[in-house]
Amino acid sequence: MDWITHDEDVWFDFRGDSPEQLTPGRYYKGTVDGFADFGVFVDLAPGVTGLLHRSELDRRLESLEWDAGDTVFVQVKNVRSNGNIDLGWSIRQSESEFRGARIHDPDGEHDNEPIEAADDDSGSAPVKKTPKGVSTKSRAANGQTSAETADGAADENESTATEETTEADSAEATSEDAEETETEEASETTADADATAGEGAAAEASEDEAEPERVTVESLGDRVGDVVRIEGEVVGARQTGGPTIFEVRDETAVVDCAAFVEAGVRAYPDVGEGDVIRLDGEVELRRGELQIETEELTSLSGEDADAVEQRLADALSEKARPESVEPLAAHEAVDAVTDQLADAAEAIRGAVLQSRPIVVRHAATADGYVAGAAIERAVLPLIREEHARADAEYHFFTRRPLDDPVYGMDAATNDVTRMLQDNERHDEKLPLVVLVGVGGTTDSLDGLGLLGVYGASRVVVDAETVDTEIVDEASVLVSPSLTDVAAEDLSTGALGANLAAAVNADMTDDLSHLPAVSYWEDAPSVYADLAADAGYDADRTRKLREAVALEAYYQSYQDKRELITDLLFDDDGGLADHVSEQFRIKLDDEVETAEANLETRDVDGVSVAVLDADSYSHRFDFPPTALLADALHRGADEERAATVVYSTDELFVRAADVDVRAAADAASEAVPEGGITAVGIRQNRIEFLSGAREDVVDAVVDAVADQL
């Protein structure tokens, strides 16, 4: 450990460009880049990022109160041969806790020079420290300049000592006490002699006291360095290791506003989410993002608050409602729900404008992923446009697949727990939950009801028939079943892509091939032609569908945002070809084995194929039982009317025009001890007690045959 030297007493500002230039053992100032299950990534310089592993922390990773973009101090433990940087924990997390600061500039002439004050060229200057309740204007009127308040390092005595005196007084002063005394005397007895200087000071104070111009957030890019005033609603507040960051939304956009009392202390503690405020401050550009350095913040009430709220409401309504809804292609089922799509698009766009998180829930299937990814593709640019924060798209949009295409109590409890934690810890608004193809049946009533108890808005988008009980539980409902138009040929992916186009018409070209990808067979010709015009022929859409289906299976609870984006939007064919090949190998092997072991039953002239999936397919491997049942039935000859695939305590029915609920009810009457229940209606799935499996399978086969 020969590197333990006096370097441990200071922190370093690294200005190199390579990990090899770092000095192990030194403490460096860095910026939180992101989080993972195993630790925190910290940027020490552009392109130089290290890992602070969770084992190095002196607390649980979950309790670490850091946010992306926060300034932190870490120790470089080791630089590996591959360039990876191992970081260590520093109990000191403010500049004042170190004995000094130095520049580490390996290739520059300033290497090892002390840092006496914030260095603007370093890009790491601290936020100006404005004590709560003290405006910059009042200090300036007393003769203190903005430069003297920039870093907030001066204490009250130092601030007092900076009061201006006339040149004559300064020349005659021999000590601080004498200077203060003479300043007071001079202000009382030499007014005539100092008339010119007094008029200049008064003019300066008058200028500082003038109220800043109220501007809109969207105009701040042209006002860097100016002191401005904004009025709006606080949509979020978070405490960093330094300043308090208020996210303020006006009628045009959202901006971060930093307010400082002292390190880690909440500024304006009475101001929180939902408050209407007036804020004066200087516009700055930090790490490429606009930010206002708060000088004065006032909560508004009465007529002032009403005027701001009305301005926000009018702007929100005008901006959120799409001017028109243009379907991606001429499809009767979609044409019938254009008004519903407009309502759903308004809810989603309104959530973006209100800085309300959006949670999209969809089935972990190819069809579900296409629908969810389409909405994601449309919403993310709107979030980036609305918020200056680089990580806003991860903060305000989440896509969470469901292994079972039902929004039950388990999924709802998970969502409610997260939203309550975010609301408690970060003053985050309750989210808008968008259920795509998973919230339209009574299986989802309990989950929807739980969201409703907490006041979370719910948008349900379902291409299939929606149960009437759902109508009252959904805030917005999109389904052709609410119209007189039949929708047998409409997939969830096609409906989701049309909703995405309504949310963001600028993304229409990116979305045009998605409806065709969502169909396993018999895609409507209008969508096949639309995909072909976009450069996606039938073979390419098939490969995309298969690739997404394979990735949807593995770790189905994860959104796989980047991978799905690469497949659906940024792939020239190579990635889809590779993944699709793996899909085909795995599925074909399973189907070949399964078909050789199908049991064909003739029930009153109805041919039903039955497979014991436990015995003739690999459990816990691709393909899942539901997808295997689909593949077997698609490959059936014309004589087979239905396919039933069963495992330990569940079975899947594949047939045209079969009411799986009715079949479950009939089977339950025949085998009352079987615990037979129809669940996951979108999958035609029935659950039962494993001890009665053989009797249950026989009863379900008979019930299905009776319907056919």
Side-chain angles (χ1 to χ4, degrees), residues 235 273 355-361 395-396 398 400 407 409-435 446-458:
V235 296
E273 178 187 336
S355 299
R356 187 178 302 280
I358 298 171
V359 177
V360 173
R361 286 292 209 170
H395 185 71
F396 289 105
T398 304
R400 299 173 188 158
Y407 191 70
M409 280 297 291
D410 53 348
T413 299
N414 184 300
D415 289 343
V416 167
T417 299
R418 292 192 188 189
M419 77 183 189
L420 293 179
Q421 288 176 344
D422 290 341
N423 178 263
E424 178 69 22
R425 295 175 182 176
H426 311 298
D427 287 333
E428 190 174 272
K429 289 185 176 182
L430 298 182
L432 171 70
V433 181
V434 182
L435 306 172
D446 290 340
L448 288 169
L450 183 60
L451 290 177
V453 168
Y454 287 96
S457 296
R458 293 138 291 165

Side-chain angles (χ1 to χ4, degrees), residues 156-483:
E156 185 176 353
N157 291 333
E158 291 171 334
S159 298
T160 303
T162 60
E163 295 181 356
E164 293 183 357
T165 62
T166 63
E167 291 184 6
D169 292 331
S170 299
E172 295 168 4
T174 58
S175 66
E176 285 188 17
D177 291 338
E179 179 182 318
E180 292 177 1
T181 301
E182 291 179 22
T183 301
E184 293 181 4
E185 293 175 351
S187 64
E188 296 174 356
T189 63
T190 63
D192 293 337
D194 296 324
T196 302
E199 289 174 1
E204 181 180 353
S206 176
E207 181 180 348
D208 286 333
E209 288 175 351
E211 292 187 349
E213 176 188 2
R214 187 183 77 81
V215 302
T216 60
V217 171
E218 69 178 0
S219 71
L220 296 181
D222 298 327
R223 302 177 184 273
V224 175
D226 295 344
V227 175
V228 300
R229 167 172 293 177
I230 62 170
E231 293 179 346
E233 177 189 6
V234 176
V235 296
R238 63 187 188 277
Q239 183 60 54
T240 70
T244 305
I245 305 296
F246 294 99
E247 294 178 73
V248 181
R249 174 178 67 89
D250 74 354
E251 64 270 27
T252 63
V254 178
V255 68
D256 281 357
C257 304
F260 195 94
V261 181
E262 58 181 281
V265 176
R266 173 67 181 263
Y268 303 98
D270 295 333
V271 177
E273 178 187 336
D275 288 345
V276 179
I277 58 97
R278 175 182 295 131
L279 185 145
D280 297 344
E282 182 179 342
V283 182
E284 296 192 344
L285 194 63
R286 292 192 174 278
R287 304 185 186 94
E289 298 179 7
L290 287 170
Q291 176 178 286
I292 296 181
E293 181 190 316
T294 304
E295 296 184 351
E296 189 167 6
L297 187 155
T298 305
S299 290
L300 300 180
S301 59
E303 294 182 357
D304 289 340
D306 293 342
V308 175
E309 289 176 339
Q310 187 61 50
R311 193 160 62 232
L312 294 179
D314 291 344
L316 178 64
S317 177
E318 182 179 353
K319 292 180 66 175
R321 186 78 178 180
E323 294 182 4
S324 63
V325 174
E326 299 293 335
L328 293 172
H331 192 170
E332 186 179 12
V334 177
D335 292 337
V337 296
T338 52
D339 288 343
Q340 299 173 23
L341 290 172
D343 292 340
E346 181 178 356
I348 294 172
R349 290 163 60 91
V352 174
L353 296 173
Q354 291 177 304
S355 299
R356 187 178 302 280
I358 298 171
V359 177
V360 173
R361 286 292 209 170
H362 62 82
T365 62
D367 190 23
Y369 263 91
V370 166
I375 296 173
E376 179 180 80
R377 188 71 168 183
V379 173
L380 293 188
L382 301 181
I383 292 176
R384 288 192 287 265
E385 179 181 334
E386 185 69 17
H387 296 274
R389 293 173 52 184
D391 64 343
E393 63 187 69
Y394 293 93
H395 185 71
F396 289 105
F397 187 93
T398 304
R399 183 166 51 76
R400 299 173 188 158
L402 291 166
D403 193 20
D404 290 329
V406 172
Y407 191 70
M409 280 297 291
D410 53 348
T413 299
N414 184 300
D415 289 343
V416 167
T417 299
R418 292 192 188 189
M419 77 183 189
L420 293 179
Q421 288 176 344
D422 290 341
N423 178 263
E424 178 69 22
R425 295 175 182 176
H426 311 298
D427 287 333
E428 190 174 272
K429 289 185 176 182
L430 298 182
L432 171 70
V433 181
V434 182
L435 306 172
V436 189
V438 295
T441 67
T442 53
D443 300 308
S444 299
L445 274 178
D446 290 340
L448 288 169
L450 183 60
L451 290 177
V453 168
Y454 287 96
S457 296
R458 293 138 291 165
V459 174
V460 176
V461 182
D462 205 320
E464 300 188 44
T465 301
V466 171
D467 292 336
T468 56
E469 295 89 339
I470 299 299
V471 175
D472 294 332
E473 285 294 340
S475 307
V476 179
L477 182 56
V478 181
S479 176
S481 66
L482 302 179
T483 71

Side-chain angles (χ1 to χ4, degrees), residues 11 16 61 64 68 99 113 121 197 222 250 267 269 302 311 350 429-430 446 463 467 623 632 635 653 659:
W11 64 266
L61 179 62
L64 194 62
R99 294 186 179 180
E113 288 185 1
D121 293 334
D222 298 327
D250 74 354
R311 193 160 62 232
K429 289 185 176 182
L430 298 182
D446 290 340
D467 292 336
L632 289 173
V653 178
D659 185 340

Side-chain angles (χ1 to χ4, degrees), residues 1-8 23-26 75 77-78:
M1 307 289 283
D2 55 358
W3 43 259
I4 299 182
T5 68
H6 67 283
D7 283 355
E8 287 192 323
T23 301
R26 284 182 174 178
Q75 186 181 43
K77 304 281 287 187
N78 182 41

